[in-house]
Amino acid sequence: MANGFTRFFKAIWYTLTGRAHESADRMMENPEAVRGAYEDIIKDKKGNIQRYKAAIGQLIALVEQKKSTVQSLTDEVDRLEELKSGAIAKAQQTAAALQGEGLAQEEIKQHAEYTRCVTAYQDFNSNLTEKTGRITELENEIEGAQADIESHKLQITSLHRDLDKIKSEQSEAVADLITAREQEEIADMLSGISMDGTSAELTRMREIREKAKARSTVAQELAGTDSKSEEEEFLTAARSSATNDEFDALIFGAQQTDTQTKAEPDKAKSDSDSELPI
């Protein structure tokens, strides 16, 4: 029973989240939404690059500090080398003086002045060994850090290239979405499912026009205007015919009279010739 309720609520949750994702995807098809999303990504990338640069700067500063320490230790080593040489020289002088006084070698080694020189030499040598080891350690660290810095610089260059690509991709993505939306609108218009309604309005106006013409025809038939139109047509034809006859008479009237005059004697002669004698 509990498992059934769990599956039921999970199904509801998955349905709601799925619808939310679908709505978000549809919203992200808006060019301005895509532009804003890319702007956020670019902003984050720039922030990461700046933090990366700051970390590299700290690493470079640390390397410089280590170099300064190495230089100080090197100067200290040089001073200790001189002190060692001084301790040896002082011990030699002390031994020579004591030998001049007739002291044996074992007595000289036990002499306080000679012992002081030996102790100083040993201290100088111990410090020298320690500082030389520290210099070697620091130089190895500096070498490794410099290699890391060069690698990080290359990584920064790669991040800048990626950022430039994202900027170009932003423009291309926005342009693609705008083009796709315009093409979809054009396709909708061509397929007759556009929302502008111009085709439907034009069809409606044509239907209204045809209906008006049909009503006018019916009204004319009922009012007898058709017979009047026929009479007017006949009168117009008669006037046109009379006008044409009058015009022909003005142009060809004299020629027609001469033709008729010549035709009458010929006809009379023909009639006389055709008569048989009785």
Side-chain angles (χ1 to χ4, degrees), residues 119-166:
T119 302
Y121 175 84
Q122 291 175 347
D123 290 339
F124 296 150
N125 188 62
S126 176
N127 289 334
L128 181 61
T129 301
E130 180 183 353
K131 293 183 184 300
T132 302
R134 179 58 179 162
I135 289 173
T136 302
E137 181 181 353
L138 288 174
E139 287 177 344
N140 291 333
E141 291 178 358
I142 290 171
E143 183 179 358
Q146 286 178 336
D148 291 339
I149 289 171
E150 294 301 323
S151 176
H152 291 318
K153 286 181 178 179
L154 293 176
Q155 186 66 24
I156 286 289
T157 303
S158 177
L159 290 175
H160 276 294
R161 285 197 297 266
D162 291 340
L163 183 60
D164 292 337
K165 288 181 181 179
I166 292 173

Side-chain angles (χ1 to χ4, degrees), residues 7-60:
R7 289 195 300 271
F8 175 73
F9 285 113
K10 282 185 177 180
I12 293 176
W13 171 253
Y14 292 149
T15 301
L16 294 176
T17 54
R19 290 178 179 175
H21 287 310
E22 290 177 359
S23 299
D25 291 341
R26 285 195 298 270
M27 291 177 64
M28 287 305 296
E29 291 180 359
N30 187 316
E32 295 304 323
V34 171
R35 190 193 306 276
Y38 270 98
E39 289 294 339
D40 292 339
I41 294 172
I42 291 171
K43 183 178 179 180
D44 291 340
K45 290 287 186 181
K46 287 182 177 179
N48 292 335
I49 290 174
Q50 292 301 323
R51 287 189 290 272
Y52 200 178
K53 287 182 177 180
I56 294 174
Q58 292 178 355
L59 184 58
I60 292 173

Side-chain angles (χ1 to χ4, degrees), residues 182-253:
E182 291 179 351
Q183 289 178 346
E184 183 178 0
E185 291 177 356
I186 292 172
D188 290 343
M189 292 176 65
L190 294 176
S191 61
I193 59 174
S194 176
M195 299 302 293
D196 58 4
T198 54
S199 298
E201 183 66 17
L202 182 59
T203 301
R204 189 175 69 86
M205 295 302 297
R206 288 172 178 171
E207 291 177 353
I208 292 173
R209 176 186 174 188
E210 294 299 328
K211 289 179 180 179
K213 290 171 64 178
R215 287 197 303 269
S216 175
T217 301
V218 172
Q220 289 177 1
E221 291 178 354
L222 294 177
T225 54
D226 284 348
S227 59
K228 292 181 179 180
S229 297
E230 290 180 355
E231 292 176 359
E232 185 65 27
E233 182 180 358
F234 294 151
L235 290 174
T236 300
R239 293 191 189 99
S240 177
S241 177
T243 302
N244 291 336
D245 292 341
E246 183 179 357
F247 184 80
D248 291 341
L250 291 173
I251 300 301
F252 303 106

